[in-house]
Amino acid sequence: MTALRRITRELADIYKQPVEGIKVDTSGENVFEWNCSIKALPDSPYKGGTFKFKIDIPQNFPFKAPEVTFLTKIYHPGINEEGSICVPILHDQWKPSITLSTVLAVIQEKVNNPSPEDPFEPDIAALLKNDKTKFMTTAKEWTKKYAT
C-alpha cells in the first residue's frame, strides 16, 4: 500500500527532524490519523497559545490531500468556526509531491501570520484590515480563553 509506506516514512522524518513548535502523535496504531498541536510564536497575535488540530490522511494519499481540522477555537480570518483552515495546498493546489512536513509548516505559517486576504471568516478579516488593534485584542482574549 503506497499511502501507508509514504505516511510511515514521512512520520519517521518528522520525528527525526520535528517542525519547531509543532507536536505530532498518531492515534494509536492508526498512522492515517494524526493528533497535532502548534505553539504560537512569541511575535504572533496568538502568543502563549497552544492550538490542537487533527490531520486525517486519506487512503489514496498522496493523490488526495489530507484534511485538517482545528480542535481549539481560534479567532483567525483563515480558520472557520468548524475548524477548517483555508490553505490552497490542501485544496485546489494540492500535488502528490507535497510532503506532510510541508503541510505542517504551512499550517504553522498561516496560524502565526493571519492575513485578511482570501479569508474563511470575512468579518474577522475585515476587522484585521480596518481595526488591527481590536483584532489583536480579540485574538489575545480567545487565545487566553481557549488555548492556554
Side-chain angles (χ1 to χ4, degrees), residues 1-16 26 29-32 34 57 61 100:
M1 179 186 234
T2 309
L4 184 60
R5 262 196 316 274
R6 172 143 169 203
I7 294 165
T8 304
R9 186 183 72 238
E10 288 196 37
L11 194 56
D13 290 346
I14 288 167
Y15 285 148
K16 267 189 261 172
T26 59
E29 296 294 308
N30 184 359
V31 296
F32 288 87
W34 293 10
I57 305 166
F61 179 81
L100 293 165

Side-chain angles (χ1 to χ4, degrees), residues 70-83:
F70 271 75
L71 307 172
T72 306
K73 285 178 72 119
I74 181 170
Y75 190 77
H76 195 290
I79 301 170
N80 70 14
E81 190 79 21
E82 291 78 43

Side-chain angles (χ1 to χ4, degrees), residues 15-68:
Y15 285 148
K16 267 189 261 172
Q17 291 186 309
V19 178
E20 193 175 332
I22 293 186
K23 282 191 182 155
V24 176
D25 286 308
T26 59
S27 287
E29 296 294 308
N30 184 359
V31 296
F32 288 87
E33 269 182 44
W34 293 10
N35 298 309
C36 307
S37 66
I38 181 171
K39 189 160 182 33
L41 294 175
D43 62 348
S44 156
Y46 312 100
K47 125 179 144 181
T50 300
F51 299 88
K52 293 182 175 162
F53 62 97
K54 67 178 184 152
I55 298 180
D56 289 307
I57 305 166
Q59 295 291 327
N60 57 348
F61 179 81
F63 303 104
K64 187 170 186 286
E67 281 186 30
V68 174

Side-chain angles (χ1 to χ4, degrees), residues 80-142:
N80 70 14
E81 190 79 21
E82 291 78 43
S84 297
I85 185 168
C86 185
V87 177
I89 67 160
L90 293 175
H91 303 290
D92 55 337
Q93 291 179 17
W94 177 256
K95 295 182 185 96
S97 60
I98 296 171
T99 66
L100 293 165
S101 286
T102 299
V103 170
L104 292 171
V106 167
I107 292 168
Q108 183 177 49
E109 172 66 22
K110 181 80 166 188
V111 166
N112 284 306
N113 299 294
S115 164
E117 307 308 315
D118 194 28
F120 254 16
E121 293 290 339
D123 294 345
I124 297 173
L127 192 63
L128 174 57
K129 205 175 206 167
N130 303 320
D131 189 349
K132 191 168 183 175
T133 304
K134 189 168 185 193
F135 167 81
M136 295 293 279
T137 301
T138 307
K140 284 177 184 155
E141 286 170 2
W142 279 45

